[in-house]
Amino acid sequence: MPTEEPGARRRTPRAQAIASDACERADAINQRGKIRIVLIHGLGLGPSTWAPTIAALAADRRLSDFYQFWTSTYCKRAAQIGGTSSAVRSPRAMTMRKGRSMADIVLINPRFEVSFWGMEYALPLLGKRANLPVAALPLLAALTPEEHTVTLIDENVAPIDFDRCSRADIVGVTGMSVQRFRMTEILNDLKSRGCFIAVGGPWVTVQEDYFDGLADTIFIGEAEETWPRFLEDWKQGRHASRYEQAEKTDMTRVPVPRFDLIQMKHYAFGSLQFSRGCPFQCEFCDIIVTFGRRPRLKTPGQVIAELDAIKETGQRLVFIVDDNFIGNKKAIKAVLGEVIAWQQRHGYPLSFFTEASIDLADDPELMELMTEADFIAVFVGIESPSEQALRETKKLQNVRAGGTLLEKVHRIQDAGLEVWCGMIMGFDSDDATIFDRQVEFIQQSRIPFAMTGLLHAIPKTPLYRRMLEEGRLDPSDRPEFVTNIRPLQISPEELRAGYLRVMTELFDPVNYFARVEALFLRPDFDVGFAKARPNYWRRYRLRYAWTQAKFVLPALVFFLRLMAGVGSRELRCEYRRRLWQFLKVHRRPGLTLLYLFHLAMHHHVSSMARTMTTGEKRLVNSF
């Protein structure tokens, strides 16, 4: 509503028209929806009559230009109506908030510390800035009502513009455990600028008091219901300091993420989510804390809509971020049938990789569906070759009948899915022999990418409660020996040294390429749809040829970047020799591109192991 000074007389229709024209002009200038009311007192019909007018100005650098336009044009027009000159107050002195009907929102994903899946040393070889977009940002944008504006900032892609953040009404920050230190730095900066701060994500969900004093409100767990509720509270001028859903999210109501707000060209992979939750009860895992043990899936229609959306971004390789893709095998088979049909309709524009439990090996039908849908790899939580350790941590799905862990890994590989894995050291039953056992198992398994880490007690997990009860927790935020658990069978010094030795040995060129070549140099080895050989490709041989031809140029560019970007002459020679050995057996361009990715990942992990061993980089535990 227009605001008048006490004693001001009613404006004439022409003065009102001028004010209305000013508002319309300001609305046209304003692109962000954040509006300030600036009272500019023009001239009335006589020296004793003041006609206040109102201009809605965008709160950015355009304000000064529009203010000059107002003073030079509208005051002159008001003077033509009649009256004498008047002093015009400065915009800053006469600014007041409009009703909170809309919000200018900035959502931030902080940069990661150097880590296995961060791919920091490999990304320049791929011509990318980050591995994949975090799922939370585009989903929160999709959950935001249309009257608000949303800007997404991924610090892994571009630096944070803190001046831009200071102009926003709400700044949201998300993050995982490995991002918590950078999150703290960002929150301190935002707080010093007087920003309204909302914090959510996996870390604050399990450690609610971590950012005390830095956030105006926090979100615990899923936010499909609480984020819109908070925005409605904000519009009413009130908000809670903590939001948590009473029930888990109904996945059949989750909207398509706003991929259009992401600069997808800067990411190595895209990301989608089909389901949440895992039926198992591993003692160390926080997934069941956040998402529960009952897998919840999106409908096939939702999945297809998201495939259409990610396809429009131009992304070719997509990570399905589900914590256990096969948590509900019956339901996911129905979804996969629709994905296969979509792939065939569009000529297989996407390839996928995901996470799944080892019992995938017990379901040939499911593995066949995954390869026909063009899943090329699966990350499996193997954790340990020690059955005692697996039983101790309640990883019981890994000790079920149906074959040994090695046999199950090889069964998945033979089906056309490359296996990547996570390994953990530091279980209560682990002694000094565990390090050699880990290396031996990985070498025999033919698993190229083994993400090794130390057992870590995440707050709210059963392991955390047990360690707390036993008095074995290191409470420091940066534990001296990387993990916050005091081991039983070996000293903390031995555990840290063994962890570095395992990572170094696994990615020694001799050991690494022994695994890679044991898998890739088999004449019958292939992955995804090329392995499955669905009837589709028999009917459309030319389309298959075109699909493969599109990989030739990217593979060539990738190789040239690899040769230019790897500093070690010895490693460059090693990579050329290994590639030549591969090309003697396989010439499919798509598989060649995948092999080149393995060369780049070797460069990344071996560089990471070297810098952490020498102390150039801080030792990071992946958990």
Side-chain angles (χ1 to χ4, degrees), residues 274-275 277-280 295 297 320 322-333 336 354-363 366-367 370 375 378-380 397 400 412 417:
F274 290 4
S275 68
C278 179
F280 302 118
L297 280 77
I320 308 300
D322 300 23
D323 308 300
N324 187 352
F325 184 73
I326 63 168
N328 184 331
K329 291 184 179 181
K330 181 180 179 180
I332 203 62
K333 286 178 182 179
L336 284 170
T354 190
E355 301 179 52
S357 45
I358 193 67
D359 57 320
L360 172 63
D362 302 326
D363 197 326
L366 183 50
M367 290 189 287
M370 290 178 69
F375 280 75
V378 59
F379 179 91
V380 178
Q397 65 271 26
R400 288 176 179 172
I412 297 171
L417 291 162

Side-chain angles (χ1 to χ4, degrees), residues 163-183:
D163 290 337
R164 168 69 182 88
C165 293
S166 66
R167 299 195 301 269
D169 295 302
I170 301 167
V171 181
V173 183
T174 186
M176 296 181 278
S177 60
V178 73
Q179 296 169 288
R180 65 189 187 277
F181 302 117
R182 179 56 184 157
M183 286 180 73

Side-chain angles (χ1 to χ4, degrees), residues 192-315:
S192 70
R193 296 167 182 265
C195 298
F196 182 97
I197 304 170
V199 176
W203 181 244
V204 76
T205 291
V206 298
Q207 189 73 61
E208 295 186 25
D209 61 351
Y210 192 85
F211 301 112
D212 276 359
L214 295 178
D216 294 283
T217 186
I218 63 172
F219 292 81
I220 305 303
E222 298 171 301
E224 278 78 9
E225 296 174 14
T226 51
W227 177 250
R229 187 192 312 156
F230 156 72
L231 291 176
E232 183 61 32
D233 290 347
W234 183 89
K235 283 172 60 177
Q236 302 301 323
R238 53 181 173 81
H239 68 273
S241 60
R242 180 185 184 276
Y243 287 85
E244 182 176 13
Q245 295 183 182
E247 302 293 336
K248 300 299 182 186
T249 293
D250 179 355
M251 293 296 286
T252 65
R253 301 178 62 184
V254 174
V256 176
R258 290 288 306 276
F259 296 125
D260 58 301
L261 299 180
I262 296 176
Q263 295 179 297
M264 195 66 78
K265 64 182 180 180
H266 295 311
Y267 294 95
F269 320 114
S271 64
L272 292 176
Q273 185 179 57
F274 290 4
S275 68
R276 292 179 193 161
C278 179
F280 302 118
Q281 50 184 344
C282 306
E283 184 186 36
F284 56 81
C285 186
D286 63 330
I287 296 305
I288 57 177
V289 174
T290 305
F291 296 131
R293 292 186 57 201
R294 183 176 64 84
R296 293 163 286 132
L297 280 77
K298 295 176 180 175
T299 65
Q302 287 173 288
V303 170
I304 296 306
E306 294 192 18
L307 293 178
D308 288 334
I310 200 78
K311 175 178 173 288
E312 289 301 311
T313 69
Q315 188 57 254

